[in-house]
Amino acid sequence: MICWAGDGGTYDIGMATVSAAAERNENLLYICYDNNAYMNTGGQRSSATPRGAATMTSPSGKVIPGKEQRRKDLTACLVAHDIPFVAQASVSHHMDFMRKVARGLEVDGPAFINII
């Protein structure tokens, strides 16, 4: 099974689901497309949004300096689950991404790839 979700549906809303699938050793490849904010709903901040970034809900200006919190290290969270395969990728390096997808599909148990 392959699951493809954005950072909002993974870092925030879906974190419990991702964690539960890892804990249960579900045989799936979970791919998170991380664009640093909730882009499908107007560009609000998420826990994937970097500190200082300006979004619709964390504007940058004199009163609010952009997002004040650091971004969540989701990859480290999945590493802590001790699952068989965890990786980060970038679509700018498409051959590397394709190799990581192939590797994630080969493992027995959960695999996770975070596309930054």
Side-chain angles (χ1 to χ4, degrees):
M1 173 177 21
I2 299 173
C3 176
W4 181 285
D7 55 275
T10 304
Y11 279 71
D12 297 329
I13 300 162
M15 183 63 186
T17 304
V18 175
S19 178
E23 186 274 330
R24 287 191 305 266
N25 202 38
E26 298 286 349
N27 192 22
L28 65 88
L29 171 58
Y30 193 107
I31 300 173
C32 174
Y33 185 73
D34 179 358
N35 58 16
N36 291 235
Y38 293 125
M39 295 304 180
N40 288 340
T41 57
Q44 295 94 346
R45 70 175 288 291
S46 76
S47 62
T49 306
R51 178 183 287 173
T55 70
M56 295 298 290
T57 55
S58 61
S60 182
K62 291 181 181 180
V63 177
I64 301 172
K67 184 181 174 209
E68 297 180 283
Q69 301 79 14
R70 292 187 304 185
R71 71 181 258 120
K72 184 186 293 177
D73 189 348
L74 182 63
T75 303
C77 292
L78 270 293
V79 167
H81 279 81
D82 196 29
I83 62 176
F85 183 75
V86 177
Q88 290 191 152
S90 172
V91 292
S92 66
H93 295 82
H94 63 279
M95 294 304 291
D96 175 65
F97 173 60
M98 289 169 41
R99 280 189 296 273
K100 288 173 179 173
V101 168
R103 175 70 180 117
L105 291 171
E106 290 172 356
V107 302
D108 186 28
F112 176 81
I113 301 173
N114 200 13
I115 303 174
I116 307 295

